Amino acid sequence: MAGRAAPPPEATLRAWEREQARLGAGVVEEDTEEWQRDPGFAGLERVGGVDLSYIKEDETSACASLVVLSYPGMEVLYEDCRMVTVSAPYVAGFLAFREVPFLVEAVQRLQQEEPRLRPQVLLVDGNGLLHPRGFGVACHLGVLTDLPCIGVAKNLLQTDGLVRDELHREQIRSLQKEGDTFPLTGTSGRARGMALRSSNNSSRPLYISVGHRVCLETAVRLVQSCCRYRIPEPIRQADIRSREYIRKQLCSPLEVTSSGPESGKKEAELDD
DNA sequence: GCGACAG
DNA sequence: ATCTTGTCGC
């Protein structure tokens, strides 16, 4: 019973590539909102974050979470955690086919139940244009929901000649303080993303890329403005809450129909 | 051919 | 992604 999930048939991967190409035609790489052009993001009030946390024991169970935070206060206005059953295995370059269906559902649920809390932009775990076919999970989710999306990856997805070699490590060392960046330009000559040092306390950068309806410069600026620690607050909160949700699930073998007061607030700080 | 490979 | 406590440092 150990081991990884069965790899998808070659035909499935080809079909997924075609789907990415089809949807990819709809990606908008420019700012489309007024607040995006304002130096202080005046008019921006809500930023969303999404994430999936997995259960080690069960290959198919995960918790999908969507949170909406106020801007610039970073207070949690909305939280939605839900256990889901994932069907697609994880394959680098095809993350969207594993996670996006549940994220779309979460966004739709929010728009139906709390339309006033609809986020004006979504920070997504993973990449956008910084992707083998220029269509990572952030683009995928953006096109399907028509929400501005930004890809925020914690590790570099090696593609288009971009590699984690000594030169790359040297560029990382050159990032001295938060806000410092260097462009991720592939062999093709195109800037696919930006490495961003988001915290003075962590030397590890974030890899920012355009998802949908936002330009790279705006994306980097916004992510930086959402960072109290290395991980931007919206994604960090989605992450914290989804794994906390799973922890509770595992500790309660009894399925209760109605239960009242839940308490217990603990926050894991520091992400380095 | 072999290795690398977001979450 | 997940397994995992305390601990060294600013």
Side-chain angles (χ1 to χ4, degrees):
Chain A
M1 49 162 131
R4 335 197 101 278
E10 198 63 19
T12 300
L13 293 182
R14 299 291 85 82
W16 283 354
E17 285 179 357
R18 287 194 298 274
E19 183 71 349
Q20 288 180 331
R22 186 177 72 82
L23 294 173
V27 171
V28 174
E29 304 180 37
E30 289 131 30
D31 289 341
T32 61
E33 314 300 303
E34 276 308 311
W35 59 263
Q36 294 172 331
R37 298 192 179 85
D38 185 272
F41 293 130
L44 176 61
E45 299 178 348
R46 296 173 308 282
V47 180
V50 294
D51 185 50
L52 261 72
S53 289
Y54 296 88
I55 294 180
K56 169 200 153 189
E57 294 81 4
D58 187 344
E59 197 70 41
T60 63
S61 291
C63 174
S65 68
L66 163 61
V67 299
V68 179
L69 307 200
S70 64
Y71 189 93
M74 295 290 113
E75 298 296 324
V76 178
L77 304 176
Y78 176 89
E79 168 185 3
D80 176 30
C81 288
R82 169 162 298 206
M83 292 306 297
V84 299
T85 301
V86 300
S87 51
Y90 170 70
V91 183
F94 300 97
L95 175 64
F97 293 91
R98 177 171 167 84
E99 301 195 340
V100 145
F102 311 107
L103 302 179
V104 171
E105 280 179 12
V107 170
Q108 291 175 339
R109 207 151 47 228
L110 161 63
Q111 301 196 118
Q112 180 175 343
E113 296 171 11
E114 294 286 353
R116 299 192 324 169
L117 294 182
R118 194 173 86 106
Q120 291 159 287
V121 59
L122 222 43
L123 302 190
V124 184
D125 237 308
N127 297 293
L129 295 182
L130 180 50
H131 178 276
R133 289 164 296 284
F135 197 71
V137 61
C139 298
H140 204 130
L141 183 60
V143 168
L144 291 187
T145 62
D146 198 33
L147 282 177
C149 283
I150 297 173
V152 181
K154 296 179 285 295
N155 294 95
L156 176 65
L157 173 54
Q158 303 191 155
T159 182
D160 193 16
L162 295 166
V163 292
R164 300 163 170 171
D165 56 8
E166 183 49 42
L167 169 60
H168 184 254
R169 285 190 288 275
E170 174 52 39
Q171 289 180 304
I172 289 177
R173 280 191 291 275
S174 76
L175 302 177
Q176 294 299 307
K177 62 179 196 306
E178 61 182 41
D180 287 353
T181 63
F182 65 84
L184 298 166
T185 304
T187 304
S188 66
R190 180 178 177 198
R192 294 176 162 272
M194 202 82 96
L196 164 72
R197 175 160 185 165
S198 58
S199 164
N200 285 328
N201 299 319
S202 177
S203 56
R204 292 186 58 190
L206 293 176
Y207 299 91
I208 311 300
S209 59
V210 169
H212 186 48
R213 292 175 54 172
V214 62
C215 72
L216 182 58
E217 293 67 32
T218 299
V220 171
R221 236 174 13 105
L222 178 63
V223 169
Q224 177 65 73
S225 75
C226 289
C227 287
R228 303 214 294 200
Y229 306 101
R230 183 171 84 109
I231 307 301
E233 245 357 70
I235 288 180
R236 184 167 163 273
Q237 288 302 326
D239 181 59
I240 289 174
R241 287 153 198 266
S242 59
R243 54 209 306 171
E244 182 69 8
Y245 190 87
I246 283 181
R247 200 176 65 77
K248 287 180 183 172
Q249 292 282 303
L250 295 181
C251 291
S252 61
L254 300 180
E255 288 303 319
V256 194
T257 50
S258 65
S259 180
E262 272 132 86
S263 53
K265 293 199 97 181
K266 279 171 192 154
E267 303 232 334
E269 302 295 326
L270 302 184
D271 49 25
D272 203 353

